[in-house]
Amino acid sequence: MGSFSIWHWIVVFLILFLPLYLLFRKPRRKASQDSAAQSGGLSNVEKLEKLAKLKADGAITAAEYDAEKRRIIG
């Protein structure tokens, strides 16, 4: 009789609680969203455009530009 009780609670859990958990859990973020969030929300294209503007303004050297470009493209 005790094993019937255990199976009963397993079925109740699967029918009631599991769908509720799946419905109300927070969605997982994709890896691309994680990397964008860590870098201030800029995409690689935006980063490269910002980097090119810094080079054009003379704020960074050509060597710094090349190194940062390689890091961004990765």
Side-chain angles (χ1 to χ4, degrees), residues 11-28:
V11 170
V12 168
F13 173 78
L14 290 175
I15 292 174
L16 294 178
F17 297 116
L18 188 60
L20 290 174
Y21 168 75
L22 294 174
L23 183 65
F24 291 111
R25 70 178 179 167
K26 292 183 180 179
R28 293 183 180 177

Side-chain angles (χ1 to χ4, degrees), residues 2 5-6 13-14 21 25 34 47 49 55 59 68 70 74:
S5 177
I6 292 172
F13 173 78
L14 290 175
Y21 168 75
R25 70 178 179 167
D34 289 337
K47 290 178 197 174
E49 289 172 351
K55 183 181 176 192
E68 188 65 20
R70 279 193 302 271

Side-chain angles (χ1 to χ4, degrees), residues 40-59:
L42 298 177
S43 70
N44 286 345
V45 173
E46 292 169 330
K47 290 178 197 174
L48 290 172
E49 289 172 351
K50 186 176 180 180
L51 187 63
K53 185 175 182 337
L54 288 173
K55 183 181 176 192
D57 292 343

